[in-house]
Amino acid sequence: RLNFDDEIISRRTVRKGMTKCMLYASYGHPIVENRTVGSWGTHIQHVYGRYNEFIYTENGRVTGWQD
């Protein structure tokens, strides 16, 4: 069972620590994902064109963003 924060998702917002699945539920799928894999795990830059925003995840959790 997945737990979602309905308020965050209904307001189409993002916060640190949310899962990649929650990010997709809130923002939809990105237009591009730039993936870097290293000894620390997987780092992904999610590019959202309609929001002019870049959201970063590490190992499936949001770590930050640029808007």
Side-chain angles (χ1 to χ4, degrees), residues 1-65:
R1 174 154 160 66
L2 299 173
N3 293 320
F4 294 106
D5 187 330
D6 292 331
E7 182 180 344
I8 296 286
I9 292 168
S10 66
R11 289 196 290 167
R12 302 288 187 236
T13 57
V14 64
R15 71 171 180 202
K16 286 185 181 180
M18 71 190 309
T19 66
K20 191 168 85 168
C21 188
M22 291 172 65
L23 171 64
Y24 288 172
S26 183
Y27 270 36
H29 288 279
I31 57 172
V32 174
E33 286 186 342
N34 299 310
R35 186 179 308 263
T36 304
V37 178
S39 60
W40 65 90
T42 302
H43 176 88
I44 302 173
Q45 178 192 52
H46 307 267
V47 180
Y48 287 92
R50 67 181 160 170
Y51 299 109
N52 285 327
E53 208 162 8
F54 301 95
I55 300 175
Y56 302 97
T57 59
E58 283 188 28
N59 301 319
R61 296 279 180 172
V62 173
T63 58
W65 54 86

